[in-house]
Amino acid sequence: MSVPSTPPPAPPESGRCPLVAMVGGGQLARMTHQAAIALGQRLRVLAGAADEPAAQVTPDVVIGSHTDLDDLRRVASGATVLTFDHEHVPGALLDKLVAEGVNVAPPPAALLHAQDKLVMRRKLAALGAPVPRFAEIETPQAVDEFAALTGGPMVIKAARGGYDGRGVTIVDDAAAARAAAADYLAAGVPVLAEERVAMRRELSALVARSPFGQGAAWPVAETVQDDGICVTVIAPAPDLSAESAAAAQQLALQLAEELGVVGVLAVELFETTGGELLINELAMRPHNSGHWTMDGAATSQFEQHLRAVLDYPLGATTPVVPVTVMANVLGAPEPPAMTMDERLHHLFARYPDARVHLYGKDERPGRKIGHVNLLGDDATASVKLRERAESAAHWLAHGQWTDGWNAHG
């Protein structure tokens, strides 16, 4: 049976702005919608349900699955460009859309490097980019060979599908690595092992690239992780030398060019105890490490992503203050009795300068339900600013001040 083809997207109607289609109805699509409003653009989202964050606020919603070709065709129909708030769309489906004339950004050949960690590692190694030593693991016995090469401590990863710490197992010895690899292999998941590096901290080099080839880079940020989940971002990264910052930005821009990225690219980095920068992960979409740009940069990552996929000239990435701290609001083990609205009242009473971004999500343990940005006029006071941002995020999640502060006290 022949498959009906979708005609190439029609140009925007006279006097109307482009229609951008985004696969995924999560918080990234929600915040992209906010940026689209300011630009007069229209954003259509493919959401799994009507109560997803973006579907709550975007009038043009397609309810469907990112693994269903017809649903992807529906969201792409008439759009100027199709882009993503996650990287889980099967590449074979995207290839079919491209063959039917859909403008997909980033293109499937680039997106593959954010979808498959083995493909990414091999490509980066071939380009001479700095990466930890790694190996594909097809049998538990292959772990022993890698352990003999690296000395033992390693990270076992699912090559596909992992995020926010899922699909990543940190181990201290070969026995634990074999067990972790066996579990992934038994589930039919491709596996790789990586050397566990002596790490000082994690960094993020966030850039954007347009089809024209224009690139732009924000200041390199420090990301603080807890159990594989980003909890805090400080931008610019404190105590990062100008040379290292420039090298990280240049590396990210070069990768965007080499891989053919269109849109935002986040290059997550390890800074080793010896000062070396190694690439950890790639994300080809707006990224949690870039949420600070909503309030702390001349152009947010969400506006920039829209500019990039539409091939507009890119915006300035200049910080508007010396330091910005972003803290994620992660759902508490038990939702507080106090409503979120009341928690906001208390938060603003204490921190009137807090920039709050909530995602419209139900509160669940560990779930990202929002973030708080705080802006500072003094880069040397970033530690205090971080304390305030994390205090604000904890209050919104738990309804409790970590220092016992009382608005009525």
Side-chain angles (χ1 to χ4, degrees):
M1 183 176 68
S2 62
V3 178
S5 63
T6 301
E13 299 172 22
S14 177
R16 298 199 72 183
C17 284
L19 170 63
V20 177
M22 181 167 264
V23 178
Q27 64 261 28
L28 300 180
R30 182 185 178 106
M31 290 181 277
T32 303
H33 173 66
Q34 293 174 235
I37 292 171
L39 297 178
Q41 294 171 357
R42 296 169 292 156
L43 187 77
R44 176 189 296 154
V45 300
L46 177 62
D51 63 350
E52 289 186 359
Q56 297 173 22
V57 298
T58 308
D60 194 352
V61 181
V62 173
I63 303 299
S65 170
H66 63 272
T67 61
D68 185 286
L69 180 58
D70 287 336
D71 290 342
L72 291 168
R73 284 178 173 138
R74 285 196 294 142
V75 76
S77 179
T80 307
V81 61
L82 177 74
T83 189
F84 311 94
D85 99 331
H86 63 73
E87 292 118 339
H88 305 310
V89 183
L93 300 186
L94 294 178
D95 288 336
K96 290 182 179 179
L97 293 180
V98 171
E100 294 169 4
V102 176
N103 177 20
V104 177
L111 188 64
L112 178 60
H113 298 91
Q115 295 175 317
D116 191 307
K117 294 179 176 63
L118 270 171
V119 171
M120 184 237 338
R121 281 283 178 256
R122 288 169 176 153
K123 179 64 173 181
L124 295 182
L127 292 173
V131 295
R133 287 181 290 182
F134 70 96
E136 181 177 8
I137 303 297
E138 295 182 310
T139 66
Q141 291 73 28
V143 173
D144 295 329
E145 300 174 12
F146 188 68
L149 176 67
T150 61
M154 66 185 81
V155 182
I156 303 298
K157 293 183 176 182
R160 285 180 168 265
Y163 66 99
D164 279 350
R166 299 175 180 88
V168 177
T169 305
I170 299 173
V171 296
D172 293 321
D173 54 48
R178 281 195 302 273
D183 288 342
Y184 289 133
L185 291 169
V189 178
V191 178
L192 74 156
E194 292 182 359
E195 175 184 18
R196 205 163 97 202
V197 301
M199 186 174 62
R200 179 191 174 203
R201 59 179 171 175
E202 295 190 53
L203 303 170
S204 176
L206 193 74
V207 300
R209 180 179 177 272
S210 71
F212 181 74
Q214 183 187 9
W218 287 271
V220 177
E222 177 178 349
T223 64
V224 182
Q225 316 289 322
D226 183 7
D227 196 25
I229 298 176
C230 179
V231 293
T232 307
V233 175
I234 306 103
D239 303 319
L240 183 67
S241 71
E243 293 78 12
S244 292
Q249 290 174 313
Q250 190 60 37
L251 173 64
L253 289 168
Q254 288 175 344
L255 288 178
E257 180 71 24
E258 291 280 359
L259 300 178
V261 174
V262 173
V264 167
L265 169 68
V267 180
E268 299 178 55
L269 299 161
F270 295 136
E271 183 184 15
T272 70
T273 53
E276 186 181 8
L277 298 180
L278 300 175
I279 298 170
N280 177 27
E281 304 281 358
L282 303 179
M284 296 182 191
R285 52 173 170 75
H287 191 254
N288 196 183
S289 68
H291 290 352
W292 70 272
T293 64
M294 296 179 73
D295 301 298
T299 306
S300 79
Q301 65 165 341
F302 300 101
E303 179 181 334
Q304 196 81 298
H305 188 74
L306 289 168
R307 290 193 189 207
V309 300
L310 290 169
D311 210 7
Y312 290 174
L314 300 182
T317 52
T318 315
V320 299
V321 290
V323 61
T324 301
V325 177
M326 186 282 299
N328 278 323
V329 181
L330 303 175
E334 291 291 336
M338 185 185 296
T339 66
M340 180 60 78
D341 182 61
E342 189 175 356
R343 279 174 264 164
L344 277 171
H345 276 73
H346 285 265
L347 174 69
F348 291 142
R350 184 174 189 183
Y351 297 136
D353 58 332
R355 315 290 180 90
V356 178
H357 303 271
L358 298 176
Y359 307 152
K361 287 181 170 182
D362 292 337
E363 297 181 56
R364 298 176 191 164
R367 190 184 200 191
K368 293 176 182 174
I369 58 174
H371 69 270
V372 178
N373 285 335
L374 282 174
L375 282 59
D377 294 327
D378 183 358
T380 64
S382 62
V383 173
K384 182 62 177 177
L385 196 67
R386 174 180 170 182
E387 290 174 356
R388 294 177 67 229
E390 291 176 345
S391 168
H394 186 275
W395 165 258
L396 286 177
H398 297 260
Q400 297 175 347
W401 292 109
T402 53
D403 60 0
W405 186 81
N406 187 334
H408 306 294

